Amino acid sequence: MTKRIFRSILTAALIVFLVSMTMIMGVLYNYFSQVQRQQLRLETALAAQGVALNGEAYFQNLDTGNCRMTWIDREGNVLYDNKVEITTLPNHLDREEIAQALQTGYGESFRHSDTLMERTIYTAQLLPDGTVLRLSSVHSSPLNLILEMLPATAVVFLLISALALLLAFRLSRRIADPLNRLNLDLPMSNKEYDELTPLLQRIDSQQRQLQLHQAELLRKQNEFDTVTADMQEGLVLLNNKGIILSINKAASQLLGIPFPTSGEDIMVLGRTPEMRALILDALSGRRSEQTVTLPSGSYQVDASPVFSDGCLSGVALLMLDVTEKHKAELLRREFTANVSHELKIPLQSISGYAELMANGIVKPEDVKPFSEKIYQEAQHLIGLVADIIRLSRLDEGAADMQRESVPLYALASETLTELASKAKQADVTVSLTGSEVAVSGIRQLLSSVVHNLCDNAIKYNRKGGSITVTVSDEGEYACLCIQDTGIGIPAADLDRIFERFYRVDKSHSKNIEGTGLGLSIVKHAVLIHGGKIHVESAPGQGTSICVNLPK
């Protein structure tokens, strides 16, 4: 601002200076020219009287200074000249001032010298004897006068420039200081310049609009953050350069990226090759999705390009957890394979025995054992199909089953009575302790829970072993604990015993009757009742299974 004000003040000062100097020099030049002209005319009149009285003797020992004096006769011949040899001078009859003097008695003229930048004034006076006396004086031209005044003009110019700079500095400070002190947060509170009122009003209006936009953006950002913060799915927004604009907590945990993070290149932070390939495809404008294996599980990653006005403006990454889906798919395939295997073995036995009997190869005394074997295998198939149907109903939530108040202690007592002969045959002692507690649930499912757990405790016990069933009231929960002295379960298998058809000891389990679905039914039944199962076991030290059911 100071430079612009300085240039403006200096320009104005120079214009005023030049105009003033031109006017002053013009006035002075005209004034001094008039004075010099009148003085030369007077000198001419005085010199003419002297020549008229004394003739040529008047010029002897006369000091004329810079003034040139010329005496001319009637025919224009030069009789005397104090500056130039008269023999070299031409006839002066054609000179303007001489012609005027001969006609009117007095003549005057001006002649310029472009080379010397001078102007000469000539005055001529007619003498009584008919001769003419002429005086001339050199007068500087306006340009010469300007050149002579140039040093003084330069000094004045420097003074004006310095004054202009000083004024510009002080004026710019006086103008700029109030502007620098403007309160742009409250534009209408400023009263320094009335001329700024329209600008301040516009700023105030724009600030209100910006505040409204900012509040709206902040509200939308908070809504977006609130929604994405609680998402189990990972969400990442990138610009068209792969720079992270937004990332939720789930995505940061999955990709191992610090939260919150923005302004970082995801190619540097996320180094999974599959992720890099997906992002590069999306940045090239192609939507792509792929199942990516991360340390926490399997995720389906959807990379979608975002376009604005036909141009790629960013990429949205959505990561869905498909770990359970993959596990369920694996379990389904494993279940199908296991069902096929479990069905195939008894069917092959039934088919083999029946074929032998149909071909008459079996001895009469072996018919009964073969029939019993066929019956046992058929019963095994019936139990297996029944368990599969039961599991299918449990998978659907058992919504068609009636809930009622079930006395858990009495239910355990009935179950142990049913299994008493099996326990006696296995040489296992069974005892029931605790107190009565009622549970609101499905009696059929609760009965299957107690039956399967007690049946397993008997089957996987040792000769002379024991089983203790305890029913207790734990406040909001009813607790059922079955503790045996059986073969136990290795720690590596504890997490898998509730899987369908899973057997801990394959070689030992072949000699034990069962479908391999009992504990799976127990788990589903407990989950339907909103309960929990806790297992503690060690090989050779028995097993303790506790079921907590909401009352």
Side-chain angles (χ1 to χ4, degrees), residues 436-506:
E436 186 62 81
V437 55
V439 175
S440 177
I442 302 172
R443 184 181 183 87
Q444 181 182 351
L445 296 184
L446 294 176
S447 178
S448 68
V449 170
V450 179
H451 185 279
N452 280 305
L453 291 179
C454 292
D455 186 55
N456 281 348
I458 293 171
K459 288 191 295 185
Y460 294 99
N461 216 315
R462 66 175 186 272
K463 293 289 184 178
S466 64
I467 299 173
T468 301
V469 180
T470 305
V471 178
S472 60
D473 189 342
E474 302 292 341
E476 296 181 359
Y477 292 88
C479 183
L480 171 68
C481 286
I482 294 90
Q483 186 173 4
D484 64 52
T485 58
I487 60 176
I489 304 171
D493 296 310
L494 285 177
D495 293 336
R496 301 195 61 190
I497 60 174
F498 295 101
E499 296 179 8
R500 300 173 185 185
F501 297 110
Y502 184 79
R503 296 178 185 268
V504 176
D505 187 352
K506 304 293 191 299

Side-chain angles (χ1 to χ4, degrees), residues 239-240 277-288 303-307 310-315:
N239 66 5
N240 57 3
L278 285 169
I279 294 170
L280 289 175
D281 283 345
L283 289 175
S284 64
R286 297 189 302 272
R287 180 182 179 276
S288 58
S304 301
V306 179
F307 294 93
C311 297
L312 180 70
S313 60
V315 172

Side-chain angles (χ1 to χ4, degrees), residues 390-391 393-395 397-398 401 403 439-450 452-453 498 500 517-533 547-550:
R390 191 177 294 112
L391 270 176
R393 293 185 65 186
L394 294 178
D395 287 338
M401 294 185 176
R403 285 182 176 267
V439 175
S440 177
I442 302 172
R443 184 181 183 87
Q444 181 182 351
L445 296 184
L446 294 176
S447 178
S448 68
V449 170
V450 179
N452 280 305
L453 291 179
F498 295 101
R500 300 173 185 185
L517 298 175
L519 288 181
S520 294
I521 294 174
V522 169
K523 177 183 176 182
H524 280 71
V526 171
L527 291 177
I528 287 175
H529 285 84
K532 298 179 181 179
I533 304 178
V547 178
N548 291 321
L549 299 170

Side-chain angles (χ1 to χ4, degrees), residues 75-181:
E75 285 74 21
N77 298 316
V78 178
L79 301 176
Y80 173 81
D81 193 292
N82 64 338
K83 298 294 184 180
V84 182
E85 179 64 34
I86 62 174
T87 58
T88 62
L89 294 175
N91 189 283
H92 280 44
L93 193 61
D94 59 343
R95 304 298 170 89
E96 181 181 356
E97 66 277 6
I98 301 299
Q100 290 179 4
L102 291 175
Q103 292 179 2
T104 63
Y106 178 78
E108 186 178 290
S109 67
F110 299 88
R111 284 194 285 278
H112 293 274
S113 173
D114 295 332
T115 304
L116 299 177
M117 292 185 297
E118 293 178 343
R119 188 178 72 160
T120 305
I121 303 175
Y122 294 91
T123 59
Q125 180 72 42
L126 182 64
L127 300 181
D129 59 357
T131 60
V132 177
L133 181 64
R134 187 187 69 176
L135 273 69
S136 64
S137 177
V138 177
H139 179 60
S140 298
S141 65
L143 181 59
N144 193 27
L145 182 61
I146 291 174
L147 294 176
E148 290 178 357
M149 294 183 65
L150 188 60
T153 304
V155 172
V156 173
F157 174 77
L158 293 176
L159 291 176
I160 290 176
S161 299
L163 182 61
L165 181 60
L166 178 62
L167 290 176
F169 178 73
R170 296 187 62 182
L171 184 59
S172 63
R173 287 192 59 182
R174 291 185 62 184
I175 294 175
D177 285 347
L179 296 177
N180 293 331
R181 292 195 303 267

Side-chain angles (χ1 to χ4, degrees), residues 254-321:
L254 293 176
L255 299 176
I257 297 174
F259 178 83
T261 297
S262 61
E264 300 289 342
D265 191 340
I266 195 170
M267 292 299 188
V268 177
L269 299 178
R271 301 180 180 179
T272 306
E274 296 88 349
M275 289 290 295
R276 292 174 63 89
L278 285 169
I279 294 170
L280 289 175
D281 283 345
L283 289 175
S284 64
R286 297 189 302 272
R287 180 182 179 276
S288 58
E289 62 178 51
Q290 183 179 347
T291 300
V292 178
T293 301
L294 299 175
S296 56
S298 299
Y299 292 84
Q300 180 178 336
V301 181
D302 187 342
S304 301
V306 179
F307 294 93
S308 177
D309 297 330
C311 297
L312 180 70
S313 60
V315 172
L317 293 179
L318 182 62
M319 290 171 279
L320 303 175
D321 188 354

